[in-house]
Amino acid sequence: MKVLVAMSGGVDSSVAAALLLEQGHEVVGVTMRLWGGDSDTGCCSVSDVDDARRVAQQLGIDHLVFNFTEDFHRNVVEPYINDHAIGITPNPCIECNRHVKFGRLWQRARALGFNRLATGHHARVVVRSDGVRRIARATDPAKDQSYVLHMLDQSQLAGLLLPIGDLSKDEVRRQA
C-alpha cells in the first residue's frame, strides 16, 4: 500500500513512518511548510522540515515538502486572529487538520497516487459493526489527540492510518 506519512520532525510521526515501513508499506514522508519569513517558528517550521528530512534519510524513504503557507494563513491564522478579536478562543490544530492536513494535503496525496495518509496522532480509527468509521481515543489517555480529529468524514477516515494510537508515549519513545 502506498502511504504518505505527515512528518512533523517529532518522535510520534517519525515512529509512525518507521512502523508502517516495517509493516511492508511503500512509505513516503511529507512535511507541510506552514510558516515563512522572519518569524518561522511553531509547528512545521524550517527546523521541523530539516528534522523530518533527517529522519526520512535514516529510514531510507523519500521526503517531500509542500508549501501550504497561504492555505494556513487563510484557513487557520486569519480565523484565529478574528476569533480572538471577538472573545472566542479557537483551537488552531483543529482548523489546520480540517483545512490543511486533511483538506489540501489529502487532495495532493490522492493526486500523486497515494491511497492512504498516515499521521503521528495519538488516536485510533475504529469501525463499528455497521461499517461506520469513527475516531476513538488513544490507548494512552494522557496523550490522546482524538479531539483534534473529530471532524473527519467517512472518506477521510477510510484513508487514514494512525499507527501509534495503540501505543503509550513511553512505547513510542522506546520504538524511536
Side-chain angles (χ1 to χ4, degrees):
M1 182 180 323
K2 194 170 179 183
V3 181
L4 187 66
V5 180
M7 296 179 70
S8 66
V11 67
D12 294 329
S13 60
S14 298
V15 169
L19 289 172
L20 291 168
L21 195 59
E22 287 175 8
Q23 293 170 10
H25 297 286
E26 180 183 343
V27 175
V28 173
V30 63
T31 303
M32 299 181 299
R33 182 136 193 272
L34 303 178
W35 296 102
D38 295 335
S39 63
D40 190 31
T41 61
C43 66
C44 302
S45 67
V46 171
S47 63
D48 292 336
V49 171
D50 291 340
D51 290 343
R53 182 177 290 119
R54 278 192 294 277
V55 170
Q57 287 172 342
Q58 289 176 334
L59 293 174
I61 63 173
D62 290 335
H63 179 254
L64 308 172
V65 178
F66 296 148
N67 185 346
F68 291 150
T69 55
E70 290 179 23
D71 297 272
F72 184 70
H73 189 76
R74 180 179 54 254
N75 292 302
V76 181
V77 176
E78 286 178 10
Y80 183 85
I81 291 168
N82 293 337
D83 284 350
H84 267 282
I86 60 172
I88 297 172
T89 306
N91 184 323
C93 297
I94 292 173
E95 296 312 313
C96 184
N97 282 329
R98 180 190 322 268
H99 297 288
V100 184
K101 188 174 285 175
F102 297 102
R104 184 75 191 280
L105 178 62
W106 189 222
Q107 289 171 346
R108 175 130 349 139
R110 288 196 172 181
L112 293 172
F114 292 92
N115 48 11
R116 293 282 196 265
L117 177 64
T119 74
H121 284 101
H122 285 265
R124 297 176 299 122
V125 176
V126 296
V127 182
R128 297 186 331 200
S129 60
D130 62 1
V132 173
R133 290 172 176 81
R134 66 177 184 84
I135 285 291
R137 290 186 177 127
T139 298
D140 187 342
K143 292 297 178 183
D144 177 62
Q145 296 173 308
S146 59
Y147 63 97
V148 297
L149 302 174
H150 75 276
M151 82 308 269
L152 298 179
D153 64 29
Q154 290 298 296
S155 67
Q156 291 164 320
L157 291 174
L160 178 61
L161 298 175
L162 300 169
I164 66 165
D166 289 320
L167 302 176
S168 70
K169 185 67 173 196
D170 288 339
E171 290 170 317
V172 170
R173 287 187 185 114
R174 278 194 293 276
Q175 288 280 342

